[in-house]
Amino acid sequence: MKVYFDNAATTAMDDRVIEAMLPFMKNHYGNPSSVHSHGREVRTAIERARKKVAELLNATPSEIFFTSGGTEADNTALVCGIETHGIKHAITSPLEHHAVLHTLEVCEQKGNIQLHTLDVNAKGEIDLNQLEELLKKYPNALVSLMHANNEIGNLNDLQKIGSLAQEYGAFFHSDTVQTMGHYTHDLKNLPVDAIVAGGHKFHGPKGSGFLYVRKDKKIHPFIHGGAQERNMRGGTENVIGIIGIAKALELAYEDMAGHEAHIKALKKHFIEKLKAEIPGVEFNGLSGQTDKSLYTVLNVSMPPSEANSGMLLFNLDLAGISASGGSACSSGATVGSHVLRALNHNPERDSVRFSFSRFNTIEEVDYTIEKLKELYAVEA
Ligand SMILES: Cc1ncc(COP(=O)(O)O)c(C=O)c1O
């Protein structure tokens, strides 16, 4: 059996997304900036895709900018948000994705901002009182806090954080890469200034993404060139990516409650079975609490085991199960996880992130439990 439990790294494309993209590979190949009919038909399709994304998020089309993915969207929001609004202080947490952390660190190294990092407890929770203290001290700062953590699944309350940010005149960016397509974002009612998406996390194509920037918090372009994306991102558009991400988001919204119920049931079953079958199992962050964490992520901390020490992901891979030790870039090495390090995770315990999609089944969970039982039976 082959099991893919690494959906927080990337997901399989939905066939209907591929079907929507195909005509733009075969027939509609015009450059959307061209004024002739070949160009115009593609321009129309891009604007239709933008309108669809905006509608789903309760935003306006002029607030949506297509990018090459979550990383570019994060870079754009942070670097250009800081520059455009003359921001001198940024507040973030040590659990952010490197697309945010490294970008803010570079801004600090360049002398553009001073970076303030919130404390986290052993479960990866941030303290909103500390955030408020910092906002009081540094009003008009930039706040960057993700919606859900990609490794441990902790969810941040964007409503509360956004209200605080608003109160102190801050620019609030949230990395929503892991929740886009899995949770609704109602941007007319959510106090965020910038959020981002990567299409490949919700059954769309890799190399597709978008950035939302609230219209009264406009920012400068990050990539300079032609007048594409209303002068916000130079370069001929990734037409097939744009068609694909819009279709993927549409499909996600069509049956989000159904997908959530299916995936949550898998995760609950996984947690219960693990607790019953693997003595000493623990869950990193809040991922073991289904009401407080992203339903697609379960980060398991296995009891110390000589046979599996440092080898767990490899052993699972041999059994046909693809999972990960953290974010995709540090796959295979939990020591490389800056998130688990920030939680002071015991290095003697091997951690593995299982992440699910609507394409996974209960049989795959049971198979994985059986394999884990076998791997840990050696010393039992
Ligand atoms: C939370 C988070 N932010 C940003 C990214 C980067 O997104 P992309 O791969 O679309 O550049 C990822 C992907 O792993 C992520 O999980």
Side-chain angles (χ1 to χ4, degrees), residues 94-271:
L95 308 184
E96 293 295 313
H97 191 273
H98 283 149
V100 167
L101 281 184
H102 289 167
T103 306
L104 289 175
E105 281 160 17
V106 169
C107 290
E108 185 174 49
Q109 281 155 20
K110 286 184 176 165
N112 297 338
I113 52 154
Q114 200 184 330
L115 189 55
H116 308 272
T117 309
L118 297 172
D119 301 324
V120 293
N121 65 17
K123 281 284 171 197
E125 291 166 299
I126 55 171
D127 177 1
L128 293 189
N129 292 325
Q130 190 192 14
L131 173 63
E132 183 160 15
E133 286 310 309
L134 283 169
L135 282 168
K136 264 186 204 156
K137 213 161 154 190
Y138 308 111
N140 310 317
L142 175 137
V143 174
S144 182
L145 291 169
M146 68 207 316
H147 190 189
N149 185 273
N150 49 300
E151 294 193 35
I152 53 173
N154 287 25
L155 284 163
N156 279 325
D157 187 336
L158 297 191
Q159 196 72 43
K160 276 194 188 153
I161 296 169
S163 303
L164 275 177
Q166 237 173 21
E167 195 181 329
Y168 293 95
F171 183 99
F172 178 32
H173 159 264
S174 183
D175 180 337
T176 48
V177 165
Q178 289 293 340
T179 54
M180 187 62 66
H182 303 295
Y183 291 79
T184 54
H185 295 92
D186 175 0
L187 294 169
K188 292 238 158 56
N189 296 301
L190 193 67
V192 294
D193 297 315
I195 65 167
V196 304
H200 69 118
K201 307 288 191 186
F202 51 96
H203 308 290
K206 293 170 184 58
S208 70
F210 62 80
L211 165 67
Y212 156 87
V213 184
R214 185 173 296 285
K215 55 175 167 300
D216 55 8
K217 293 284 180 91
K218 280 198 176 71
I219 61 173
H220 300 152
F222 184 61
I223 297 178
H224 301 277
Q228 290 91 351
E229 295 297 291
R230 297 181 316 290
N231 279 314
M232 261 294 285
R233 182 184 189 262
T236 301
E237 296 88 337
N238 173 9
V239 178
I240 50 176
I242 291 170
I243 301 297
I245 194 172
K247 184 69 187 176
L249 197 64
E250 186 182 353
L251 294 173
Y253 269 76
E254 242 171 53
D255 188 18
M256 200 176 278
H259 300 154
E260 177 171 354
H262 172 73
I263 299 168
K264 249 191 186 154
L266 294 183
K267 179 170 165 174
K268 280 188 175 155
H269 182 67
F270 209 140
I271 292 172

Side-chain angles (χ1 to χ4, degrees), residues 364-378:
E364 292 174 332
V365 173
D366 287 338
Y367 173 79
T368 304
I369 297 285
E370 282 312 307
K371 289 295 159 192
L372 282 170
K373 263 169 69 182
E374 283 170 26
L375 289 171
Y376 281 79
V378 186

